[in-house]
Amino acid sequence: VVTKAALASEQSKRFWRDLIASQPFHTMDDVFAHAEENQRAFVEFGNTVRNELGIEHPEKPTPLKSRATAETKMVRKGYKTVRQLTDVVRDGIHVSTPDQAERVVAAYAKRYGVYDEGWTITEAGYFDRKIMVRLDDGTIAELQLYHPELLHAKDKQGGHALYEEWRATPVGDRKAELLRQMQALYSSALDRADPEWKAVVKGR
């Protein structure tokens, strides 16, 4: 497992550039040429991990990122090459404890090369953990680990809608109010999680 914390800043940047450059893509057609089969295999492996660790399966499998969404992201992020797309193939796993998250990462590392970005928390208070997984053909897939309460707040209690509005709102009173609403939402979700998660958040 390669972790962001294990690499010095410049080493990390260089490692990440090399990882992106190694993707076997030149065009958007290349990105999606084998994306569906990679998505199926990636989700199937995720289900194997879920079964081994006793993790509940999601109601619906994580979908492949659409081509239209990928093209929009290229523009929004200012990407210069399609190799910078690292989340077309993707999956997400609910983890109930920080220790369970470590066991998920270890399971993927036995099968694939992984780059663990670690837990990140936004200024709104939402947190998750992103793992970049190098598939057999060189495609980089994204695995997200998240606590069910935080994901519920994001997807079912309006967190994502608040974020979308916040992102499109100019600096001012409304933007500040949207941020406060997100912070209250995710703080409440964290209060419902096991206490050990607060240590994870405070360490970021």
Side-chain angles (χ1 to χ4, degrees), residues 82-124:
V82 293
R83 293 191 184 100
Q84 290 174 271
L85 290 168
T86 58
D87 62 349
V88 170
V89 176
R90 56 196 181 164
D91 197 8
I93 294 182
H94 295 181
V95 287
S96 58
T97 67
D99 178 67
Q100 190 174 61
E102 297 303 327
R103 286 184 280 145
V104 169
V105 175
Y108 276 80
K110 288 180 182 178
R111 171 65 179 83
Y112 300 105
V114 303
Y115 177 65
D116 182 4
E117 294 191 350
W119 293 103
T120 59
I121 180 169
T122 69
E123 61 180 322

Side-chain angles (χ1 to χ4, degrees), residues 30-101:
D30 295 336
V31 172
F32 282 89
H34 303 288
E36 289 188 4
E37 60 192 84
N38 279 338
Q39 178 72 18
R40 284 194 297 270
F42 195 53
V43 169
E44 285 174 6
F45 182 78
N47 288 337
T48 298
V49 173
R50 291 180 180 93
N51 291 337
E52 289 177 351
L53 299 180
I55 297 173
E56 185 178 352
H57 288 231
E59 293 180 5
K60 296 180 180 179
T62 303
L64 179 75
K65 185 184 285 290
S66 72
R67 181 164 181 154
T69 303
E71 290 171 342
T72 298
K73 185 172 184 177
M74 287 285 296
V75 175
R76 176 167 53 85
K77 292 284 190 177
Y79 289 165
K80 300 184 183 307
T81 168
V82 293
R83 293 191 184 100
Q84 290 174 271
L85 290 168
T86 58
D87 62 349
V88 170
V89 176
R90 56 196 181 164
D91 197 8
I93 294 182
H94 295 181
V95 287
S96 58
T97 67
D99 178 67
Q100 190 174 61

Side-chain angles (χ1 to χ4, degrees), residues 132-146:
M132 299 296 109
V133 181
R134 184 177 171 83
L135 304 182
D136 295 338
D137 68 352
T139 296
I140 299 170
E142 181 182 275
L143 174 69
Q144 284 189 312
L145 306 182
Y146 33 66

